[in-house]
Amino acid sequence: MIRALKRIYSTPDLKRKLTFTLLMLLIVRVGAFVPVPGINGEAALNYFKFVTKGGQNLLQLLDLFSGGAFGQMTVVALSIMPYITASIVIQLLVALVPSFQREIKENQEAGKRKIGNWTRVFATCLSVFQSLLLARYALQMNQAHPGIVVHELFKIQAFGVPWLFYLIVVFTMTTGTLFLIWVGEQITERGMGNGISLIIALGIVSQIPSAIGLLIKQLNLGSQTPGQMTLSSIIILSIVFVAVIMGTILVIQGQKNVPLQYARRIAGTSSESSKGSNAHLPLKINYAGVIPVIFASSVLMFPATIAQLVGSTTGVQWLTQLSQTLAPGTPVYTVVFVLLILFFTYFWTATQFKPDQIASDMKKNGAFIPGVRQGKPTEQYLESTMNRITLIGAVSLAFIAVLPNIISKILKVDMSISHFFGGTSLLILVGVILDTMQQVDSHLLMKKYDGLMKRGLSRQR
């Protein structure tokens, strides 16, 4: 490990990228402690803990992805979730509207810029809408627990509405989300790894110490009376923890190698193959990585959050029932979550994997799959093969995502603990780390170093 770090920091370009990434993530983490002007973050956090009570609660899941910023009502309380929701909607529109697809094919760079602009505009609108709901929710919390909102802000009203408070909350939280989007894009372009995914992973990592502290507290080691958790529960959670990590690595890195052959060329009186006999085309079992899990969580949280915040502030019964039905850990939530993972796995694979382009490139290079003709038959073969292995990857991903929630419900373990010993959080965390390590690995191999994940390559040369 020490030798790997030396190789990293001996490469100036890689050192610069990693340093830039760490500095930007540090800035993001600082923003999680900057409260919205006029809101007492400590009082809001105390009330938040009282409301959640450690159960399977949607607000607790939101606080997890925001790294604790949601519970304290800080400037980045919305985290990056509006951007992810906007990205999903725009991607669906691009896939469903043929004119968008033609425009992107004609000019990919201009198409990507246009999609990026649309996503940012829609994310801004979602941030304004969600921050309005949070401002209203903060007023409701202040009625139940005075002191959360500074009293002076109530003096400036119009038609009985504290418009200055709404303006401050909307402006600061929307600005915080836009800042996170900018940071994520800067990390992707100038740093190492996917910036948006790294911001989500950072929020998850920041909550690990509190989860460990709660775990120790529930063991009740300082007393002879049994705690809420037993040694057997710890052992089962540890086994699930290791199994989820191993399963995530196998699903993300697993691939099917499609054998390839190349047309022989005539050299004098003999023929020779232009490529080696062991050539193959790798097809990933899970082409989308952990993106389906992130998308599925975002899609479920968005309507459920609106229903919970609006229902709690207006007293609309059906919205309250909807938020309870879609609460993490309920049967409806689990079923919908699994279906969304399956859908987004196929959706992302269909939008990113291009069998027609691969078949065309193979034909140009004189490559073919044994027993399959070049052109359209090769395209159909690749598409059908990818569909079959994607099903395996999607089902495996969904199973890994929901397994710890089922076990934690049987063992009656606190949600804030179960999320770190498996399930969505650990799945995202492991996937993001693997993706970042692969990018670091590719940079090292380009500089003729051994990679972090593949050893001994230089010795074999």
Side-chain angles (χ1 to χ4, degrees), residues 28-51:
V28 170
R29 193 59 202 147
V30 170
F33 296 95
V34 180
V36 174
I39 293 182
N40 187 334
E42 185 177 352
L45 182 61
N46 292 332
Y47 181 81
F48 177 80
K49 291 180 179 180
F50 172 76
V51 172

Side-chain angles (χ1 to χ4, degrees), residues 308-440:
Q308 183 156 349
L309 295 179
V310 175
S312 60
T313 56
T314 61
V316 180
Q317 190 66 25
W318 70 272
L319 286 175
T320 304
Q321 293 177 353
L322 177 62
S323 63
Q324 293 174 354
T325 303
L326 293 178
T330 60
V332 175
Y333 177 90
T334 303
V335 171
V336 176
F337 187 50
V338 169
L339 292 177
L340 285 174
I341 290 178
L342 297 177
F343 168 75
F344 282 118
T345 302
Y346 272 97
F347 172 76
W348 188 262
T349 303
T351 56
Q352 302 298 320
F353 181 72
K354 306 295 183 183
D356 54 344
Q357 183 177 351
I358 296 175
S360 176
D361 293 340
M362 288 173 57
K363 189 174 182 179
K364 291 178 182 178
N365 295 320
F368 63 93
I369 301 171
V372 181
R373 289 182 299 175
Q374 292 180 325
K376 191 67 175 179
T378 298
E379 178 185 342
Q380 294 174 348
Y381 176 82
L382 292 175
E383 186 174 0
S384 61
T385 303
M386 179 57 79
N387 286 335
R388 288 197 300 270
I389 65 176
T390 298
L391 177 62
I392 299 174
V395 172
S396 302
L397 200 65
F399 178 73
I400 294 173
V402 301
L403 175 63
N405 288 336
I406 298 174
I407 294 179
S408 66
K409 196 168 185 180
I410 295 175
L411 297 176
K412 297 181 180 179
V413 180
D414 190 280
M415 180 181 176
S416 60
I417 296 177
S418 65
H419 268 303
F420 292 103
F421 279 84
T424 305
S425 302
L426 188 59
L427 202 57
I428 294 173
L429 190 59
V430 174
V432 172
I433 292 174
L434 282 176
D435 179 64
T436 307
M437 288 182 64
Q438 286 175 351
Q439 290 194 29
V440 174

Side-chain angles (χ1 to χ4, degrees), residues 153-402:
L153 291 178
F154 293 105
K155 296 180 180 179
I156 305 176
Q157 296 187 2
F159 305 102
V161 177
W163 62 270
L164 181 60
F165 173 73
Y166 277 101
L167 182 63
I168 291 174
V169 172
V170 171
F171 179 78
T172 53
M173 287 191 175
T174 302
T175 303
T177 299
L178 294 178
F179 175 73
L180 291 183
I181 294 172
W182 179 81
V183 169
E185 292 177 347
Q186 292 299 310
I187 291 175
T188 302
E189 294 177 4
R190 301 171 55 187
M192 185 62 59
N194 184 287
I196 302 298
S197 299
L198 282 173
I199 291 175
I200 297 176
L202 177 66
I204 296 172
V205 170
S206 65
Q207 296 297 302
I208 292 180
S210 60
I212 295 176
L214 183 60
L215 177 65
I216 296 174
K217 182 179 179 181
Q218 291 193 358
L219 285 173
N220 202 13
L221 298 176
S223 176
Q224 295 182 351
T225 57
Q228 297 179 9
M229 294 190 65
T230 60
L231 181 60
S232 60
S233 300
I234 298 295
I235 294 175
I236 293 175
L237 284 175
S238 301
I239 293 173
V240 173
F241 177 79
V242 176
V244 169
I245 293 178
M246 294 177 60
T248 304
I249 295 173
L250 291 175
V251 170
I252 293 177
Q253 292 192 318
Q255 64 184 30
K256 174 181 174 60
N257 294 327
V258 178
L260 294 180
Q261 289 185 1
Y262 287 80
R264 294 180 179 274
R265 62 186 181 185
I266 304 298
T269 57
S270 62
S271 64
E272 59 179 355
S273 175
S274 61
K275 298 289 180 180
S277 59
N278 60 347
H280 62 269
L281 176 66
L283 299 180
K284 286 189 175 183
I285 294 178
N286 185 12
Y287 196 84
V290 293
I291 289 178
V293 180
I294 298 175
F295 278 13
S297 301
S298 177
V299 167
L300 269 179
M301 282 194 291
F302 183 71
T305 303
I306 294 175
Q308 183 156 349
L309 295 179
V310 175
S312 60
T313 56
T314 61
V316 180
Q317 190 66 25
W318 70 272
L319 286 175
T320 304
Q321 293 177 353
L322 177 62
S323 63
Q324 293 174 354
T325 303
L326 293 178
T330 60
V332 175
Y333 177 90
T334 303
V335 171
V336 176
F337 187 50
V338 169
L339 292 177
L340 285 174
I341 290 178
L342 297 177
F343 168 75
F344 282 118
T345 302
Y346 272 97
F347 172 76
W348 188 262
T349 303
T351 56
Q352 302 298 320
F353 181 72
K354 306 295 183 183
D356 54 344
Q357 183 177 351
I358 296 175
S360 176
D361 293 340
M362 288 173 57
K363 189 174 182 179
K364 291 178 182 178
N365 295 320
F368 63 93
I369 301 171
V372 181
R373 289 182 299 175
Q374 292 180 325
K376 191 67 175 179
T378 298
E379 178 185 342
Q380 294 174 348
Y381 176 82
L382 292 175
E383 186 174 0
S384 61
T385 303
M386 179 57 79
N387 286 335
R388 288 197 300 270
I389 65 176
T390 298
L391 177 62
I392 299 174
V395 172
S396 302
L397 200 65
F399 178 73
I400 294 173
V402 301

Side-chain angles (χ1 to χ4, degrees), residues 33-70:
F33 296 95
V34 180
V36 174
I39 293 182
N40 187 334
E42 185 177 352
L45 182 61
N46 292 332
Y47 181 81
F48 177 80
K49 291 180 179 180
F50 172 76
V51 172
T52 55
K53 297 178 182 178
Q56 297 279 334
N57 193 285
L58 174 69
L59 297 180
Q60 203 169 28
L61 186 61
L62 284 170
D63 191 56
L64 172 67
F65 283 122
S66 64
F70 183 85

